[in-house]
Amino acid sequence: MKRFRRHGHESQRDRLKQELFQFNKTVEHGFPHQPSALGYSPSLQLLAIGSRSGAIKLFGAPGVEFMGLHDESAAVTQVHFLPHQVELVTLLDDNSLHMWTLQAHKGLSELLEIGRFTLTGPPGALPHVTRVTAVLPHSSGELLLLGTEGGHVFIVEVPGFRELEERNISLDQVQSSVPEDYIGRRSLEHVEALQENPVDSNQVVIGYDRGLMVVWDLEKHCAVQHIPATQQLESVWWTEDGSYILSSHSDGSYCRWMVGNSDPTTEDEEKSDIPYGHFPCKAIMKIMQLPTEEGPPFLLFSGGMPRASYGDRHCITVIHSKTHVALDFTSRIIDFFVITEGPQNTGDPSALVVLVEEELVVIDLQTEGWPVIQTPYLVPLHSSAITCSHHVSSIPFKLWERISAAGDLQHTHYSKKPWPITGGQSQAADPPQRDLLLTGHEDGTVRFWDASGVCLYPLYKLSTAIAFDTDADPNDNMNQSSEGEWPPFRKVGCFDPYSDDPRLGIQKIHLCKYSGYLIVAGTAGQILVMELNDEAAEQSIEAKVVDLLQGQEGFRWKGHTRLDVREEPVLFPPGFQPFALVQCQPPAVVTALNLHSEWKLVAFGTSHGFGLFDYHQKNSVFVKCTLNPSDQLAMEGPLSRVKSIKKSLRQSFRRIRRSRVSLRKHHVNNAAKLQEANARLEAELAEMELAPVQRKIEARSSDDSFTGLVRTLYFADTFLSDSSHNTPSLWAGTNGGGVFAYMLRIPPVEHRAEEPVTAQPAKEIQLMHRAPVLGIVVLDGHGTPLPEPLEVAHDLARSPDMHGSHHVLVVSEEQFKIFTLPKVSAKMKLKLTAVDGSRVRKVGVASFGSNRTEEYSESDLIFLTNQGDVHVVSLPSLKMQVHYPCIRKEDVSGIASCVFTKHGQGFYLISPSEFERFSLSTRSLVELRCLVEAPLHQRSQTDGANAVHRTSEKDDDDAESAARRVMEHALLNDEKVLQEIQKSLEGGPLLLENNL
Amino acid sequence: MNKPHRAPSSRALSAVEVKSKFGAEFRRFSLDRSKPGRFDEFYGLLQHVHRIPNVEVVVGYADVHGDLLPINNDDNYHLAIATATPLLRLFLQRKEDSDYSAFGSDPLNRKKNPVLSAVLLRPDSHRKKPPVVISLPRDFRPVSSIIDVDILPESHRRVRLYKHGQEKPLGFYIRDGSSVRVTAQGLEKVPGIFISRMVPGGLAESTGLLAVNDEVLEVNGIEVGGKSLDQVTDMMIANSHNLIITVKPANQRNNVVRSREAGAASGSSGRSSDSGASFYGYGGGYSSLGVNSGPAHIIQNFPVGELESDEEEDVVIEAGAEQEPNVPRYEPHLNLRRDPVTSATSDPAISHPSAWAISSPATSNGTLTSSASLGSLTTAAANGSSSHRARERRSLEEDGTVITL
C-alpha cells in the first residue's frame, strides 16, 4: 500500500515535471559569425545572410527571423531570392545549389530546404566546366542561369532544378560570334557576371572574366551585342532603363556602355573612369547605378582604392550629384545592396545596406549627411570582446525608462528613419516583462540590451574608461577627417575590437533593479559603484584602496599595476555615474561581486581575499585574506600567468618564422642538416602520437594553486548565531572549497550615516572534497531561496519564512550540499562529479511555473556542467529533475559565457558575436513566431510567374491523386514510396533531389 | 554495573580461584563469582597484589580451550570469571613489551605453538622469524585492498585505494586507449580508459594492486564506458578519498583464483607461501585477512552499500568566544600530542578474538566507522559534540594545514 502510494506520488511529480520543464533553443541574438553571402528580396522585404559554417539566416521586420542550416558544412557563397517568390537559392562552396522556401503553416512560416542540385556537365567534362561562378535568377521566377568556370551558362528550371539542356549557352556558341578583332577571344575564361535587362527579360548580359561582355537573347538564342572590354571584369550592372551597362574592373576602373545601338560597329564605351586614379588602384568589386525621380542618379561601388596608400581600407563609394563619400568600414565588405522606395521598388534609393565581416551597416540615403540607421537586430555584440554578462529580469518600468532615456541621448547621431527592411509579421506575443542583459566588454564598457523579446536591442552603453587615466586620450577622435582629404573618407560602423588598456576589461556586473545602483568590477581590481543620474554631472572620483593581503609576509605581486584614477573632476554624461571607487591591492581580477542595496554594502573578492565596502559611508568594513601560504601563483596576475591569445599567437608566429629562417640557413649551408632537422621533427611528431594524452589522478590538496580565489559572495538575512535572532550576513566561497560566513551589524536607518557597520566572523566550512564553491544560497523555513534585497520592500516577493529553520545550500563544482543553520551540520547532499564525472560550471536559482495552472510555481536550481548539459535540481530536496544537452562540451567559451535568467531561460555565446537563447521553462519562452506571406502582386506579374504559381497549385492536387494512384498500385511494401505518400498526404514539400 | 549471575548452575562454588602471573612472579587470590565487580577495580586489584601500582600491564587469561584471550573491559572480564573452571589463570605483561600477536592464536597453530609455553613460559625460544605484530584496534586503519573477489569475474579486479592519513599521493595517470571485445559479430575494438603511468612511491604503485595498461572499467561502482577521459579523471578525483577502481589487469596471470570451498580463501592471494605467519584464519564465515607491514593484500567482502559510510566530513568551524587573528597558519602535527577525546573514542573494548583482525574500526582521521557485526567495537560515548572539534582537528591535520579562526 505504501509502495503504491509512493508510486502515485512519483508519477504525479513526473507529470508536474512535464508541466514545468521543457528545453528549447529559441533565438540566436547578435551578428552571424563569419558571414559569407548577402541576398535581398525587394518583394518580400527580406534580407538573407549566409555564413561560412553553412547557416542561412533571413531577417525582415524586427522580430521576423528565420534560420536554416545546410547539411553540408560548406560555406554559403551566394544567396539569391527568386523574384516575387518565397523561394531562395543558395550556392555553397562545394558547388551545390539549394532551394529554400518559407512555408506557412498555421499562421507561422518556416524556412525549409526543398531541393538540392549539382550541375552535371557532359560526360567526361572537367570539373571546372560545371563549377558555378555566377547565378542569375530570372525575373520570370522559373529560370536560373548558372555561369560556370568553364565559361558556359547553364539554364535550369526552378524550383524543381530541371536542366534545360537545349537552352544552355555554351562557350563555343559565344566564341563563334566574338568579333575577330577582340584580343584573346580564344580564352574568355569564366563567367564573372550575369545580369538581366531590366526592361527586356529576354536579354541577359554575360560577363567573362577576361572582360568581354555578351548581350544574349534567351528567346532567339543568339548574341545580340558584344562589349569588348579588355580589363579583367569584376561586376556588371544594367541600368534601370536598360540603355546602359556598367562594368567594373580589376584595375579600379569602371566603364559605361550603351546598349541596343542598332549599329554594332559604332557601339563603344561611352565613359571610362578610374575614380581614385593616377596610381594603381585595387579592383572595384561591385558597381551599381540607381536613378532618382528627379536629378542625377546614385552611383555606388565598392573598392577601387589606391593600392599603396589606402589598399587596406574597406570602402564603398557613394556618389550623388556633387556629394562624394567613401564610406570606410571596420572590416571586409562581403556584399551590399540598396533599398529603393515605392510599391514596385522602382523609386528613389532610400537606404544602403552593407554587410561587412563583423557587422551590418544601413545608411539612410535620403537624409542629409547620410546618417546610419540603427539596426534593431544583427547588432555586433562583440564590437569589443565580451568579457562577462549579467541578466536582470522584470525591470521596473521607471528604471527602464530612465535607462532608455539615457541611451536615446547616445543615439542622436543615428538617422530618425524607421528600419527600412520590413518583411513579414512577427506573431510573437508581447514580452510579459522587461528584461535587461548587460554585457561587459574588454574596453571597459558595459552595454545594456533589451532582452525582453526576440530582438536583442541596444539600449544604453556605459563607458568606465573615462574615470581612469589611460594611455589613449579619450578625446582622440579617429573619425575626424581633415578637410579636402582625398578620397573623402567617412568612418562608419561600431566594430572596434582594439582595447587600449586590458586592465579596463569588465569582469563582474551587478545591477539592483529596485534602487538603480550598478556595480561594475574589472581586471585591475577596480570596483565602481554607480548611480543612475538623468543629468550630466561633473565630479571627481575618490578611490579607496583596500589591501587584501592584510600584511601577509613574503608575497610580491608580479602582475599589472592599479589603474590611475583621474584626479581632476570628470564630466559624466547622463546615465550611470560613479560615486565610489574601490581599488583592490594587489590589483588582481575581481572574481566575485555582490551588492545589497538595502544595506548599502558591496562585497568583492579576488584571488587574494574578499572585502566588504559600505558605500553609504564610503569606507571599508572589513577585509579577509583567503590566500594560502603555499599559493605562489596567485601573485602573478592574470596577464603574466594566463597568456593572452594574442601573445601566444604572436609567439607561435615568431617561432614559425624563426624555424623557417633556420631551415633556410640549413638549406644554404648543408642539405644534410636540413634532412636531419626534418627527421628530428618527424621523430618528435611520432613521439607525440605515441605518448597519448594523460590525466593525473590526484586528490585535491590545500596546496593547489588559487585555492584562496573567491568564487562567490552572497548576502543573506538569516540565523547565524542562534535560532531565534536573524541577522544580516555575508557569505563567501573559495576555489579551495572554503566557505566563510560573517555576521554583520548594520546600524538602524536613522544612524546609518554615523555608526559604523561591523562584521564578525561566524562560521567557516571547509568542504573536504575541496572543489571550488560556485554558489551559496540560504533557504528559508519553507525551503525557498531568500528573496533579493529590496524585492520584498517593493512587494514583488513573498517575505521569507523566518519561523522555520533556515538552511544554507553550498554548490561546489562537484556536489550540492545543504547544511542546517545556525548550527552548521550537513543535512543532505547531491553528488554530481563522483557519479557521472561532470562538473558544475554555472549555477543559478530560477522559478518555474506550470503551463497548466497559473497558481503553481516553484524555485529550482539550474546548472550547466562542463559537459555542456543543463540540469534542473529541485529545492530543497536536491533531486535531479531533468537534464538536456545544451552546448558542445568542446565549446569551452560557450560554457563559460552562459548566464541564467530568474525564469528559467539562459544565454550563451555561440560565437564571439552571437548569443543563443534557450529556455528550460514551459511558461517563460521567448521564441520566434513569424509569418511571411507570398507577395500579393505575384499574380499580376509576368505570365511566366503566373504560370509557375498555377502549376504549383496544380501540383498540390496532382500530388494527392498521384498518391492515390500509387496506393492503388499496391506498392505499399516499398518504404520509399510509403514515405513519399506520407509526405504528399501531409502536404509537405517533396524534397526535389537531382543528381546527387 | 551489576551483571546477572552467569556462572553455570552446576558450580556450587561462588569463589573463583585466580592465579596471576607477572614476569616470574605468581599471585593467588580469589574473587566472588557472583560479584566480580568492574574491570578497572579488578585491574587495580591486580596492580595491588603484584605491587606494581604504576606499571601499565596487559591482562590475558587462558580460556577453556587453552587460548590466550585478553581482559580489558567489563564484558570480557565477566566472561573470564564466568567461565573459569575453576581456576582463572591470568598472565600479565608490561604494556610496552606485550606481544599482541599471541592473543587469539588459532586452533591450527595451537599444537605447534601452545599458548602458554610459546608466549609466556619460554617467550623467544623457538621463533625463527620475528612475529608479526598486530597492533591494537585503535592503531588499525583501512588499507588499500582487493575487494569483492567473490562477485567479480576472475579476469577483473576491484581495488580500493585508501588515502586516509597518508602523505602518499594516489600516484597514477590514466589515458585513452582501445580494447578488443569479443562480440557475436567477432572481435570489436572499443574505446577504453587505461592506466598509463605510475608515480614511483605513490599509493597505486606501492600497494602493487594496479599496473600500467590495466583497463579501468568502473569507478566507485559506475561504469566508465561512454565517458570521456576528462570525465573519468573528474570522477576519480571526486572519489579520491575512497577510490574504488575495477580494472581488467593487463597481466592476467596474477588473478585472484576463487576457491570453490567456502571459508578456505586464505590461500588465494597467491602469496601465501611466504606469509604463513601473517595469516590468521578464523574458520566460519569470515574471510581471511592478511596484514603485513609491506603491500597489503586483503581479501574481504565489502558490501557496496557501506562505501558511503566512510565519507569524509567537512570541517565546520563555529566561531567561538576566543577569536584568534585571522591569519592562516600551520599547526604542528597533532599526531604527536595525544588528543584526549580522540584517544578515548578510539579505545575500543574487545570481547571476542575474531573482532581483532577486522580492519575497519577507527580510521586514523578520527572519522569512526564501525562494522555492524562488531557491536562491542562501537565507540565510547564520546561521539557527541565534544568530539566534534577534535574530529575537525584530526581531519585537518592529515592535510598538514590548519585554518583556524
Side-chain angles (χ1 to χ4, degrees), chain A residues 694-695 763-764 768 817, chain B residues 196 230 313-314 317-318:
Chain A
Q694 294 190 102
R695 292 283 181 273
K763 310 275 174 195
E764 198 178 317
M768 282 320 288
K817 207 159 185 177
Chain B
S196 63
D230 287 330
E313 282 194 28
D314 304 323
I317 297 171
E318 310 265 345

Side-chain angles (χ1 to χ4, degrees), chain A residues 50-65:
Chain A
S51 81
R52 246 186 261 177
S53 57
I56 168 106
K57 287 183 166 190
L58 268 57
F59 298 89
V64 178
E65 287 178 27

Side-chain angles (χ1 to χ4, degrees), chain B residues 202-379:
Chain B
L203 195 59
E205 191 221 38
S206 63
T207 57
L209 303 177
L210 296 173
V212 171
N213 293 332
D214 285 1
E215 183 181 0
V216 177
L217 303 173
E218 286 177 10
V219 175
N220 287 54
I222 291 153
E223 283 189 33
V224 302
K227 292 202 158 62
S228 69
L229 183 64
D230 287 330
Q231 265 176 298
V232 177
T233 306
D234 285 340
M235 283 168 75
M236 288 187 176
I237 291 172
N239 287 303
S240 58
H241 64 282
N242 177 29
L243 183 59
I244 297 169
I245 308 177
T246 309
V247 293
K248 190 176 166 200
N251 180 358
Q252 289 281 335
R253 274 174 298 177
N254 287 345
N255 287 344
V256 173
V257 180
R258 228 181 302 147
S259 172
R260 303 279 171 251
E261 293 153 60
S266 62
S268 62
S269 82
R271 297 190 37 163
S272 55
S273 57
D274 67 324
S275 57
S278 67
F279 280 86
Y280 293 82
Y282 298 101
Y286 283 109
S287 315
S288 309
L289 301 177
V291 180
N292 58 29
S293 51
H297 284 228
I298 296 185
I299 301 136
Q300 181 187 3
N301 284 328
F302 207 97
V304 182
E306 266 179 49
L307 300 183
E308 287 295 303
S309 65
D310 46 4
E311 269 293 306
E312 284 179 290
E313 282 194 28
D314 304 323
V315 181
V316 178
I317 297 171
E318 310 265 345
E322 77 286 46
Q323 291 294 331
E324 286 176 52
N326 300 334
V327 185
R329 61 189 172 81
Y330 280 99
E331 253 185 32
H333 281 274
L334 295 175
N335 292 341
L336 306 171
R337 166 152 64 86
R338 169 139 298 158
D339 190 316
V341 185
T342 323
S343 60
T345 36
S346 54
D347 198 0
I350 293 166
S351 64
H352 191 275
S354 69
W356 280 42
I358 303 293
S359 64
S360 58
T363 60
S364 65
N365 75 344
T367 314
L368 292 163
T369 54
S370 48
S371 168
S373 65
L374 305 172
S376 59
L377 279 181
T378 41
T379 60

Side-chain angles (χ1 to χ4, degrees), chain B residues 31-350:
Chain B
L31 287 170
D32 189 342
R33 195 188 290 274
S34 59
K35 286 181 191 142
R38 296 209 314 272
F39 168 72
D40 46 356
E41 291 165 7
F42 173 67
Y43 187 80
L45 178 68
L46 287 175
Q47 284 184 320
H48 176 73
V49 298
H50 281 279
R51 309 239 169 99
I52 45 168
N54 294 317
V55 180
E56 292 280 303
V57 292
V58 172
V59 186
Y61 75 102
D63 79 344
V64 284
H65 309 290
D67 288 335
L68 181 67
L69 299 181
I71 299 178
N72 51 13
N73 61 17
D74 287 344
D75 284 342
N76 51 19
Y77 167 56
H78 292 151
L79 184 72
I81 294 289
T83 57
T85 57
L87 180 70
L88 176 63
R89 288 192 293 174
L90 296 179
F91 304 95
L92 273 56
Q93 277 183 288
R94 282 179 191 273
K95 202 162 212 165
E96 46 270 36
D97 51 29
S98 61
D99 181 1
Y100 300 107
S101 66
F103 285 124
S105 51
D106 65 357
L108 292 174
N109 287 348
R110 206 178 346 133
K111 262 181 216 156
K112 256 201 287 179
N113 188 13
V115 174
L116 305 179
S117 60
V119 180
L120 301 162
L121 302 177
R122 289 175 282 129
D124 288 308
S125 59
H126 72 283
R127 259 186 235 150
K128 287 186 178 81
K129 290 181 208 163
V132 174
V133 175
I134 299 179
S135 40
L136 283 175
R138 67 158 168 269
D139 299 328
F140 274 52
R141 58 177 173 78
V143 288
S144 302
S145 56
I146 296 180
I147 58 171
D148 288 347
V149 180
D150 51 345
I151 56 170
L152 286 175
E154 281 173 6
S155 60
H156 295 180
R157 178 188 293 174
R158 186 166 290 167
V159 173
R160 164 179 239 188
L161 290 178
Y162 255 116
K163 206 182 136 52
H164 282 306
Q166 294 192 43
E167 291 302 312
K168 270 181 191 170
L170 285 170
F172 66 100
Y173 290 74
I174 56 172
R175 62 166 170 90
D176 278 318
S178 63
S179 68
V180 179
R181 297 266 156 83
V182 185
T183 63
Q185 287 77 37
L187 292 179
E188 190 193 12
K189 237 182 174 185
V190 290
I193 304 287
F194 294 83
I195 293 173
S196 63
R197 189 151 83 83
M198 294 280 177
V199 177
L203 195 59
E205 191 221 38
S206 63
T207 57
L209 303 177
L210 296 173
V212 171
N213 293 332
D214 285 1
E215 183 181 0
V216 177
L217 303 173
E218 286 177 10
V219 175
N220 287 54
I222 291 153
E223 283 189 33
V224 302
K227 292 202 158 62
S228 69
L229 183 64
D230 287 330
Q231 265 176 298
V232 177
T233 306
D234 285 340
M235 283 168 75
M236 288 187 176
I237 291 172
N239 287 303
S240 58
H241 64 282
N242 177 29
L243 183 59
I244 297 169
I245 308 177
T246 309
V247 293
K248 190 176 166 200
N251 180 358
Q252 289 281 335
R253 274 174 298 177
N254 287 345
N255 287 344
V256 173
V257 180
R258 228 181 302 147
S259 172
R260 303 279 171 251
E261 293 153 60
S266 62
S268 62
S269 82
R271 297 190 37 163
S272 55
S273 57
D274 67 324
S275 57
S278 67
F279 280 86
Y280 293 82
Y282 298 101
Y286 283 109
S287 315
S288 309
L289 301 177
V291 180
N292 58 29
S293 51
H297 284 228
I298 296 185
I299 301 136
Q300 181 187 3
N301 284 328
F302 207 97
V304 182
E306 266 179 49
L307 300 183
E308 287 295 303
S309 65
D310 46 4
E311 269 293 306
E312 284 179 290
E313 282 194 28
D314 304 323
V315 181
V316 178
I317 297 171
E318 310 265 345
E322 77 286 46
Q323 291 294 331
E324 286 176 52
N326 300 334
V327 185
R329 61 189 172 81
Y330 280 99
E331 253 185 32
H333 281 274
L334 295 175
N335 292 341
L336 306 171
R337 166 152 64 86
R338 169 139 298 158
D339 190 316
V341 185
T342 323
S343 60
T345 36
S346 54
D347 198 0
I350 293 166

Side-chain angles (χ1 to χ4, degrees), chain A residues 1-13:
Chain A
M1 185 62 208
K2 214 173 188 180
R3 197 172 201 163
F4 181 71
R5 206 183 310 144
R6 194 167 65 216
H7 178 73
H9 181 73
E10 268 168 21
S11 69
Q12 195 184 329
R13 181 66 206 170

